[in-house]
Amino acid sequence: MRRLVDFILLLVGIVAAWQILHWIAGDIALTSPLDTVEHLGKLLGTERFWLNVAETARAFVAAALISLIGGVALGVVLGLSRTSAIVSEPILIALYSLPKVTLYPLVLLCFGLGISAKIAFGAMHGLIPVTIFTMKAILQIKPVYWRTAETMRLTPGQMAWHVALPAVIPEVLAGARLGFSLTLLGVLIGEMFASQRGLGFMITSAMGLGDIATIMAVALFLSVFAVSANALLLLLDRTAAR
Amino acid sequence: MKRGGLTREGWIRLAVVVAFVLAFELLCRLGVLPRTVVLPPSEMATSLWHLLETGEFTADIVSTLQDVAIASALSIALGFALGIAIHALPRLRATLEPLLASYYAIPTFMFYPVFIVVFGVSDRAIIAIAVLLSIVAMIASTLTGLDRIPRVLRKTAAIYRMGLARRALLIDLPAAAPHLFTGIKLAFAYAFIGVIASEFILSGQGIGYQIAYAYNNFENRKMYGLMLLVIIVATVANAVLDTIDRRLQSRLRR
């Protein structure tokens, strides 16, 4: 009950802060919460908006799947030996904190303009956190599990599938949560820089027209989606941890 | 870890990186990777050297580094202050907790166009979005740091009858320092990413802008030279901060 009250208070606080900022900055710089919701409602009724959503969603789902499957596979392989984990961790962390936008032209030159470049760029963002989390989780598995697996003469493949994977699910979910939000960011930045379709493209073209209402409406739409997806994954995380 | 000199894993890591760069070079030289797509690393390095020598992009490099420095300083100072304030008000903290937990799920960068409309295409818009990206990491680290101060230290302070200011300076700050430093490290990384990304999407100067500009004009040599510069600066800065961070963290475990 108390948490619900807190949550409503937070929402009220955000809307109030937004409204105050709107009064300070004026209509040209920041549309009011009410106007933004109204404009979003109007956008939701147009077909073009949903075409853009579908384009972004396609790229996001593909990139997220690549990040999740690739990241878990890579994390398991690197985490099975302590040496390879120690060797690769600083490299992965360096790659993680690199501003990957700089590499986008390289991705564009490799994949050409189009959806595959966006998918590749999104996966670049999401793959590394999933790998890091999986690898660390594998390292922290209790040694007794390994000894049991050895006693049962499991092959490395069986070990990975029957022992390592079930033991690391909670951490993998935490990594997936971070990976998903970064993948979404990657896809959107990709669309903002070079694309003819998608929500990121909608934002940049609105930016060119100075159409602040559309920018705010799309940003609101994305924020609501991202926060709900995150809450859902958190819930999944909690049930898995039990 | 051994002091001075590399560990066995350190040598392997170095070998892996060197092997990767050499393989990359070889693939480029053999023409497996066409020159229109990517240049061999050695040419990237000579291009970077040339760019630094002629000073063609010195103004852009200075502008980017300046923006990163201002944005990180702002978010570290403001994040620290806000973290202390939120920690002091448990009711406010309970309310803000869901926001702090899901903040990084929101693609904050989508709000960059809003800042452009408010501030125009300028350093201020770039710094604003970089601060927005990095400040929450500092707030969260400050909160963790203050939470993890052992109660025995607080009690010791009480026994010595320390005043609030003395306790904060002599007990709280050193005890929370490792977590605060993690916050500083993250704030810097996010600020760097924020600045480069905003320059890339829309701005009139900076390294990110010049990379995007070179890409649009098919000037691969310049583009890859500058790309290499960003990779080197980011890697070195993060490696230094990470090393200090690890030292401080290992002090916690003692």
Side-chain angles (χ1 to χ4, degrees):
Chain A
M1 192 57 214
R2 170 132 186 203
R3 286 183 57 189
L4 191 70
V5 174
D6 275 345
F7 185 67
I8 293 167
L9 272 177
L10 179 65
L11 281 183
V12 171
I14 292 173
V15 172
W18 183 355
Q19 184 67 44
I20 292 167
L21 277 177
H22 162 71
W23 280 328
I24 298 170
D27 228 3
I28 315 152
L30 194 68
T31 40
S32 70
L34 195 67
D35 289 344
T36 308
V37 172
E38 230 169 273
H39 190 74
L40 180 59
K42 230 183 287 165
L43 281 180
L44 289 176
T46 62
E47 199 188 342
R48 258 200 52 205
F49 180 76
W50 288 108
L51 283 177
N52 283 324
V53 171
E55 172 78 8
T56 304
R58 251 204 310 274
F60 171 66
V61 168
L65 280 178
I66 295 175
S67 309
L68 189 62
I69 297 168
V72 169
L74 211 60
V76 169
V77 170
L78 292 173
L80 282 179
S81 125
R82 187 160 281 277
T83 309
S84 71
I86 296 174
V87 168
S88 52
E89 203 198 333
I91 301 178
L92 289 171
I93 289 186
L95 287 175
Y96 175 64
S97 42
L98 202 69
K100 279 169 275 297
V101 220
T102 14
L103 300 177
Y104 195 46
L106 174 65
V107 175
L108 282 174
L109 288 172
C110 289
F111 292 91
L113 289 165
I115 194 162
S116 44
K118 278 190 262 179
I119 295 174
F121 194 57
M124 265 167 75
H125 279 78
L127 186 71
I128 297 163
V130 179
T131 310
I132 295 176
F133 272 77
T134 312
M135 190 180 85
K136 284 202 157 174
I138 298 253
L139 277 184
Q140 275 153 13
I141 292 176
K142 287 187 191 129
V144 64
Y145 290 6
W146 295 129
R147 266 181 261 139
T148 315
E150 244 165 71
T151 320
M152 295 181 175
R153 302 191 179 220
L154 297 187
T155 62
Q158 285 174 320
M159 262 191 211
W161 184 251
H162 292 290
V163 180
L165 214 53
V168 298
I169 292 277
E171 277 85 357
V172 170
L173 277 174
R177 212 150 46 81
L178 189 59
F180 277 171
S181 42
L182 285 171
T183 306
L184 181 62
L185 184 68
V187 169
L188 288 170
I189 290 182
E191 287 179 341
M192 281 175 93
F193 181 67
S195 180
Q196 300 302 321
R197 260 174 267 156
L199 292 174
F201 167 70
M202 249 184 112
I203 287 188
T204 9
S205 60
M207 179 163 73
L209 298 167
D211 178 5
I212 203 78
T214 301
I215 299 174
M216 289 301 291
V218 175
L220 178 68
F221 178 80
L222 284 167
S223 304
V224 170
F225 166 74
V227 169
S228 340
N230 191 57
L232 207 69
L233 283 169
L234 260 178
L235 208 69
L236 206 67
D237 205 359
R238 266 184 216 136
T239 26
R242 249 181 244 142
Chain B
M1 224 191 269
K2 272 195 297 182
R3 284 277 171 109
L6 284 169
T7 52
R8 188 174 75 96
E9 284 84 7
W11 282 111
I12 301 177
R13 191 179 307 134
L14 192 66
V16 169
V17 174
V18 170
F20 177 77
V21 174
L22 284 180
F24 194 14
E25 177 88 30
L26 200 67
L27 287 176
C28 292
R29 295 278 174 202
L30 290 174
V32 180
L33 297 168
R35 290 189 59 88
T36 45
V37 172
V38 67
L39 296 179
S42 58
E43 274 184 46
M44 289 186 201
T46 45
S47 161
L48 172 59
W49 182 250
H50 182 72
L51 295 177
L52 291 177
E53 216 175 28
T54 55
E56 192 182 345
F57 293 122
T58 308
D60 294 291
I61 295 167
V62 169
S63 137
T64 297
L65 295 181
Q66 213 167 19
D67 287 354
V68 173
I70 295 173
S72 346
L74 272 177
S75 40
I76 290 166
L78 286 175
F80 181 59
L82 283 173
I84 291 175
I86 294 171
H87 189 263
L89 303 164
R91 191 76 188 80
L92 176 69
R93 184 179 178 180
T95 315
L96 286 179
E97 207 67 69
L99 178 70
L100 294 176
S102 55
Y103 185 79
Y104 280 103
I106 302 171
T108 326
F109 192 71
M110 295 301 107
F111 293 96
Y112 178 54
V114 178
F115 287 107
I116 287 198
V117 177
V118 176
F119 294 118
V121 179
S122 68
D123 287 324
R124 283 199 292 173
I126 294 175
I127 291 170
I129 194 71
V131 168
L132 204 60
L133 273 175
S134 50
I135 193 167
V136 174
M138 189 63 203
I139 294 178
S141 302
T142 308
L143 288 175
T144 339
L146 292 176
D147 282 344
R148 300 274 165 83
I149 296 172
R151 281 180 57 195
V152 61
L153 290 183
R154 288 270 165 91
K155 284 183 191 157
T156 316
I159 290 170
Y160 278 102
R161 305 197 176 205
M162 285 184 176
L164 195 64
R166 266 172 73 82
R167 195 193 78 187
L169 202 66
L170 294 176
I171 304 278
D172 293 355
L173 202 58
H179 295 285
L180 294 179
F181 193 81
T182 307
I184 292 174
K185 183 183 82 172
L186 288 174
F188 171 79
Y190 284 124
F192 196 65
I193 292 175
V195 167
I196 298 273
S198 345
E199 286 174 350
F200 205 79
I201 301 295
L202 186 67
S203 79
Q205 57 182 351
I207 305 176
Y209 167 73
Q210 292 296 355
I211 292 176
Y213 188 81
Y215 166 75
N216 285 324
N217 290 296
F218 304 105
E219 291 181 289
N220 273 10
R221 286 189 68 85
K222 276 183 191 167
M223 186 178 86
Y224 281 114
L226 288 169
M227 240 185 228
L228 185 65
L229 178 68
V230 173
I231 293 174
I232 291 174
V233 170
T235 311
V236 170
N238 287 317
V240 169
L241 291 174
D242 209 48
T243 315
I244 303 174
D245 194 28
R246 267 163 212 266
R247 290 255 163 90
L248 286 172
Q249 294 290 341
S250 65
R251 208 169 66 178
L252 275 184
R253 262 177 251 122
R254 243 189 260 156

